Amino acid sequence: MKLKEKLTGSLVSVSLAVAGCLPVALMPVHAEDYSDTEYWYGQCTKPQTSADGVKACEGFKAYENERRQRLQQSISDFSSSISSLEGETDKVAALAQEQKALAEELSAQISQKEAAIAEIEANIQALQEQIRQKQAEIDAWDAQIKSRMRHEQGNVGTNMLVDLVMGASDLNDMLRRISGIERITEDDQAQISRLNELKAQLELSVSEEKRLQDENAAQKAELEEQKAQAKQLEDSYNQLVAQYKQQIADLQAQKRSAQADMNSIRDFVITSAGAGSASITTSSGFNVPVLGGQYSAGTWAYPGGGIHLGLDWAAPIGTPVVAPANGIVLYAANPVPSNSGYLGNMSGYPYGGGNTICLLCSMNGTLYAFSFAHLSQEGMSVSAGQSVSAGQQIALTGNSGNSTGPHCHIEVVNLGNMSVEEAIKRFSSSADFAWGTGWGNTAGACENKGSTPCRERPEIFFGS
């Protein structure tokens, strides 16, 4: 064999045995706890630099598959539970809360998948560029070493290994040839070692590109599967809402009709002190109170049937809510998280309202009480007793209390020619958001009652 072929051939056939010289991966070699999914998504959407890293990511993928299967089983169980309730209202709230937890988990998984897909695609592009650069560097090193070998072999004066041993004319000639071979190995040892390392890295990069391409396809397929799960869960929940919304509304009305525990809410209710000097500059019309979104349910009845005493204004959580007119805050409390609502959740005051505000306003000399329910815990910027101006931001929309999605529930009670002083004194003693009009029927509607206080349809003030 030619000396050139013997030495350069070893450069072309590089073994991955040198991969042990690569940097140690930052992730655990054998991870047993994959519960921090955000961390593991971050790690496994990047190219791995060791076989241990690849193995750890394979373990995470198996963990994620099991998690998706468990969630699917929970969704199926949820659907089965609805059909077996048979009117047991006391179990509806627990089931609705279960649905909320499932929906939040599924939403988190979908968000992680979408972020992972974007990260993988960006990393694939970067990896392809790294592969191109590594290949160019390998080609340059390979050409340089081969050129030096040819030069050194020319100095040795022979290309045949047998000539090296048998063809020397004397001892001095043999030593000269051996010295030339030593110069080749000494001069190029570091370069050959670097070249072997680069080739090992290149092979790992190429295999990682394929792994990421496969992972990207798998993530996209799983994303579509999870979106289908979300649709299945939403459909089941809508079935639950349709079946039990009126029963939950009746339960809420019963609770609201009971005497309020003033001691528990006193800190959030206006006091009668200073009521005699309180005044409101009357407005000529009302501003639209929610700056975005649209009507989702009108006053007196839900689209699917059942009593509904106000207007539901569907809007994403965090949409500004403003004072419809100049006024005074009668009540403001935000005791529960912004997105904690579910069917049958009786948190907040009035029961089921979640985070709520009651506002006393005047339009064309007539006094009105506006109430806003299901608000966000964050962004509530007013407190009881505070005066506000028309258009001033008072809160943000949320999904709190007895709520099946992000929206603001608005009720309007017409107080007629009641004075501001009388209204403050009355509310401070009872905290009655209904002002005596009741909760379980529409008998308190202005068109039915014929006297004030009575309930108005908010739509008449903001357009229908």
Side-chain angles (χ1 to χ4, degrees):
M1 179 184 290
K2 293 181 180 179
L3 178 63
K4 173 182 176 181
E5 293 171 346
K6 183 176 180 66
L7 292 176
T8 62
S10 64
L11 303 178
V12 177
S13 304
V14 180
S15 169
L16 276 176
V18 298
C21 299
L22 296 179
V24 178
L26 296 178
M27 62 179 61
V29 174
H30 301 294
E32 296 181 357
D33 182 7
Y34 291 109
S35 58
D36 188 353
T37 55
E38 184 176 356
Y39 167 80
W40 283 103
Y41 268 114
Q43 289 296 318
C44 295
T45 54
K46 296 185 293 190
Q48 300 305 302
T49 56
S50 73
D52 286 330
V54 174
K55 185 175 180 180
C57 288
E58 289 173 351
F60 176 61
K61 185 173 183 179
Y63 170 84
E64 278 293 278
N65 287 337
E66 292 173 2
R67 193 161 72 114
R68 286 189 298 106
Q69 291 170 6
R70 288 196 303 270
L71 183 59
Q72 178 59 58
Q73 184 59 53
S74 296
I75 292 171
S76 300
D77 291 344
F78 173 79
S79 301
S80 300
S81 298
I82 293 174
S83 59
S84 65
L85 276 178
E86 299 179 356
E88 296 183 63
T89 309
D90 57 334
K91 295 182 180 179
V92 173
L95 190 61
Q97 194 168 12
E98 176 188 334
Q99 186 274 348
K100 181 175 178 61
L102 290 173
E104 288 176 348
E105 181 181 354
L106 186 55
S107 177
Q109 289 189 21
I110 288 173
S111 296
Q112 286 179 328
K113 281 284 188 297
E114 290 173 337
I117 288 169
E119 185 70 18
I120 287 173
E121 290 178 347
N123 286 329
I124 287 174
Q125 292 183 359
L127 189 57
Q128 289 172 340
E129 177 60 21
Q130 290 176 15
I131 290 172
R132 187 193 66 77
Q133 292 177 358
K134 279 191 175 70
Q135 187 62 62
E137 187 176 358
I138 287 172
D139 292 344
W141 277 94
D142 211 11
Q144 180 180 344
I145 293 172
K146 288 177 180 177
S147 175
R148 293 181 62 181
M149 285 183 175
R150 284 192 294 268
H151 174 73
E152 292 293 344
Q153 287 182 6
N155 289 338
V156 170
T158 181
N159 286 326
M160 299 298 293
L161 185 59
V162 66
D163 288 345
L164 176 65
V165 179
M166 303 298 297
S169 58
D170 52 36
L171 181 60
N172 287 334
D173 186 24
M174 179 175 288
L175 292 176
R176 178 182 63 80
R177 297 178 185 219
I178 293 174
S179 175
I181 299 302
E182 288 175 348
R183 285 199 304 273
I184 292 175
T185 58
E186 288 170 2
D187 291 344
D188 296 324
Q189 183 177 8
Q191 290 90 335
I192 292 172
S193 176
R194 173 59 180 159
L195 184 58
N196 283 341
E197 182 179 321
L198 282 172
K199 288 188 174 182
Q201 290 177 356
L202 177 62
E203 289 193 37
L204 184 58
S205 295
V206 170
S207 67
E208 273 299 282
E209 181 191 8
K210 183 179 185 308
R211 182 185 73 82
L212 289 178
Q213 293 280 14
D214 292 344
E215 181 65 17
N216 196 36
Q219 294 281 1
K220 288 182 177 179
E222 290 170 9
L223 178 62
E224 292 307 309
E225 177 186 332
Q226 289 177 323
K227 287 181 177 179
Q229 287 178 326
K231 181 64 167 60
Q232 177 188 352
L233 187 58
E234 181 182 7
D235 290 345
S236 297
Y237 185 62
N238 288 340
Q239 178 188 346
L240 176 68
V241 170
Q243 283 183 238
Y244 296 99
K245 200 162 192 175
Q246 183 55 47
Q247 294 181 40
I248 294 298
D250 291 343
L251 178 61
Q252 180 174 266
Q254 292 173 21
K255 286 181 171 290
R256 289 184 174 185
S257 297
Q259 180 65 37
D261 179 6
M262 294 300 295
N263 289 331
S264 66
I265 60 173
R266 174 52 64 193
D267 290 344
F268 311 108
V269 181
I270 194 170
T271 65
S272 58
S277 61
S279 63
I280 299 173
T281 302
T282 193
S283 303
S284 58
F286 289 128
N287 294 322
V288 174
V290 183
L291 304 185
Q294 59 186 359
Y295 296 170
S296 58
T299 311
W300 308 146
Y302 286 107
I307 297 296
H308 187 228
L309 299 178
L311 170 68
D312 282 351
W313 201 307
I317 292 175
T319 301
V321 177
V322 302
N326 301 326
I328 296 173
V329 179
L330 300 177
Y331 181 94
N334 54 344
V336 296
S338 302
N339 191 28
S340 58
Y342 57 86
L343 186 66
N345 181 346
M346 295 301 162
S347 65
Y349 181 84
Y351 290 105
N355 303 310
T356 57
I357 290 175
C358 187
L359 189 64
L360 192 64
C361 297
S362 176
M363 183 180 72
N364 296 327
T366 299
L367 209 58
Y368 294 89
F370 279 80
S371 59
F372 305 90
H374 314 304
L375 302 169
S376 281
Q377 188 172 55
E378 297 79 19
M380 187 171 286
S381 54
V382 295
S383 58
Q386 180 179 339
S387 294
V388 295
S389 301
Q392 177 181 335
Q393 183 170 316
I394 58 176
L396 301 173
T397 56
N399 178 35
S400 57
N402 183 27
S403 170
T404 57
H407 75 291
C408 179
H409 176 83
I410 304 168
E411 295 182 10
V412 181
V413 176
N414 185 331
L415 302 179
N417 60 2
M418 186 183 298
S419 69
V420 173
E421 178 184 4
E422 181 183 355
I424 291 175
K425 287 182 176 180
R426 179 168 173 172
F427 191 88
S428 68
S429 64
S430 66
D432 180 14
F433 276 55
W435 298 84
T437 63
W439 294 103
N441 54 62
T442 60
C446 292
E447 56 258 45
N448 296 329
K449 189 177 179 185
S451 62
T452 58
C454 61
R455 289 182 177 274
E456 298 276 17
R457 295 178 66 248
E459 294 93 320
I460 68 174
F461 302 115
F462 313 129
S464 56

